[in-house]
Amino acid sequence: MYLPLVTASPAAPPAAGLDFTAAQQWTVISLCALTALVSHLALAVFNDGVRPFLLDFVQGRSTRAATAAVAFGLSAGFVFGLGAPMALTTGVLNPWLLFLPTDVLGLLAPGRALALLLGAAWGAVVVFGLGGANDLAQRLPVDFLTAMQQMSTPILFLFTLFPVLAIVRQFGRAWGAAAGVLELSLVVATLKIWPGMFAGALAMAAGVLLLIGLALARDLRHRPAAGPPGADGSGDSPLASLFAVGATRLRRSLPLLALLGAGVAVLAQSHAFGGGEATSFLIARGEHTEAAQVDFYRAFGFLPLIATTALASGAYGIAGLTFVYPLGYLMPGPLLAAGAGAAVLTAEVLALSAIGRLLGRLPSVRDSSEHLRAAITETLLLAILFGSLMAANAMGGGLGILIVGGLYLLNEATGRPLVRMAAAPVAVIAGGVLLNLLHWLDLFAPPAAA
């Protein structure tokens, strides 16, 4: 089913498939309907950039159409440039493909029934439409989807380094060098001693634990540096009042949010879904424990952002603080996953106020999360670009690299109409289409047929 990453140049994984079972199809359709509903109610959205705008909408200072337009502008590039290509490449669904569109559809719908219907319709498009697109692409002379699986190795291995980058930024080169040596040693040891394990799992764990330990040590040494009064959401400041209103609004909607947590956990348990770029490849390879580790570490980079924007706006994340992803991967069955997912989101919502106060008292830990989030983006940008060029070489040799690299550079030169994360995968797909046209014109032969 999958090839363990035990060599420097592993063979490409087998072609991805998008054949979902009936249970997986109904789970996706039902969950998309539910996420569109909670978006319509401004209770939860997936896009962290949209959540702050929901406060104006909830308080009547912005219209539904204007808020939906903001959500579309912030989401469209990720849906079509990252979510769809990643799903076609891995055969595993992802949150950009499922939940960013339901953010927009839910906000756009004028009524609850229409929001449910539009969300379900999007889920049906995904589970029934992607398979046909995948089959068509793999029958082309230049199979760019199979070539895109070359992205897996750089994404998985470079993603391992994100804690090192965060440590360098926050604690300097000496600690960063120590973290780098530690991670490299653990990767080499894992490849040698435990060849069946994802080589970056232990390294990432060590890096994240080192970063959090350094941040906690700094905060304990500087206890008074807790920020201005009310910065932690306590006291009588306007921020504290705003946080209290947001927390109360979320607690009132706890049953619906618990149902949302159950649905996300069941989808993750089905192993037809991965919560991130690296996770999608690990799920596709059947490495569910390693996928859970990766998403668990990644959650620490987004926890303060999700918690504070949720308290300020009264709108939560579709997957909460995202701990529901790794929990779902590890559950032995859907019923246990549903119960665990509901319990986790319930506990998160009830603890949000305390989390906000704690983050206010631990500024270095809060800063660590920001550095982790930035480092995740940087490592993935390089990995996706490098992997896209590897895919270009696999499908078209030097000409493929010229086309894909040229399209990426054109996007840079024209002010990035596509966000960087999405530009390289889109360039691979566009380059694959162009190479197929050249093949039909008898101007190009794929490397395997040359």
Side-chain angles (χ1 to χ4, degrees), residues 356-375:
R357 290 192 296 270
L358 181 63
L359 290 173
R361 298 189 184 106
L362 298 174
S364 295
V365 173
R366 189 174 62 245
D367 291 345
S368 294
S369 292
E370 294 176 4
H371 288 298
L372 276 176
R373 193 166 62 252

Side-chain angles (χ1 to χ4, degrees), residues 157-400:
F157 277 91
L158 287 175
F159 188 73
T160 303
L161 293 173
F162 76 85
V164 177
L165 268 64
I167 290 171
V168 171
R169 295 271 169 72
Q170 189 171 8
F171 297 103
R173 297 175 185 176
W175 276 114
V181 171
L182 175 63
E183 286 208 5
L184 178 60
S185 301
L186 288 172
V187 168
V188 172
T190 303
L191 287 171
K192 181 68 175 177
I193 302 171
W194 304 288
M197 179 189 295
F198 168 50
L202 289 177
M204 274 188 285
V208 171
L209 288 174
L210 178 59
L211 175 64
I212 294 175
L214 290 170
L216 281 172
R218 176 179 287 181
D219 284 333
L220 291 175
R221 289 195 306 269
H222 303 90
R223 284 179 181 273
D232 60 355
S234 62
D236 298 323
S237 71
L239 181 60
S241 300
L242 180 63
F243 277 17
V245 171
T248 301
R249 183 173 189 264
L250 290 171
R251 285 196 294 269
R252 282 202 304 264
S253 305
L254 200 49
L256 192 55
L257 292 174
L259 181 61
L260 183 62
V264 174
V266 169
L267 181 60
Q269 190 278 330
S270 74
H271 300 145
F273 173 88
E277 301 87 344
T279 315
S280 293
F281 284 107
L282 289 169
I283 292 291
R285 294 171 182 269
E287 299 179 357
H288 306 138
T289 302
E290 289 83 350
Q293 289 177 288
V294 169
D295 270 353
F296 180 77
Y297 308 141
R298 182 186 181 126
F300 289 101
F302 292 87
L303 188 153
L305 174 66
I306 296 172
T308 53
T309 55
L311 287 168
S313 65
Y316 206 31
I318 289 296
L321 302 177
T322 71
F323 291 110
V324 70
Y325 292 156
L327 185 73
Y329 303 147
L330 298 177
M331 287 292 104
L335 290 179
L336 283 175
V344 165
L345 247 71
T346 298
E348 288 177 4
V349 171
L350 294 176
L352 268 180
S353 295
I355 291 172
R357 290 192 296 270
L358 181 63
L359 290 173
R361 298 189 184 106
L362 298 174
S364 295
V365 173
R366 189 174 62 245
D367 291 345
S368 294
S369 292
E370 294 176 4
H371 288 298
L372 276 176
R373 193 166 62 252
I376 287 170
T377 299
E378 288 184 42
T379 53
L380 287 174
L381 281 173
L382 176 61
I384 290 174
L385 175 59
F386 186 66
S388 296
L389 291 175
M390 290 173 63
N393 183 63
M395 70 184 183
L399 180 59

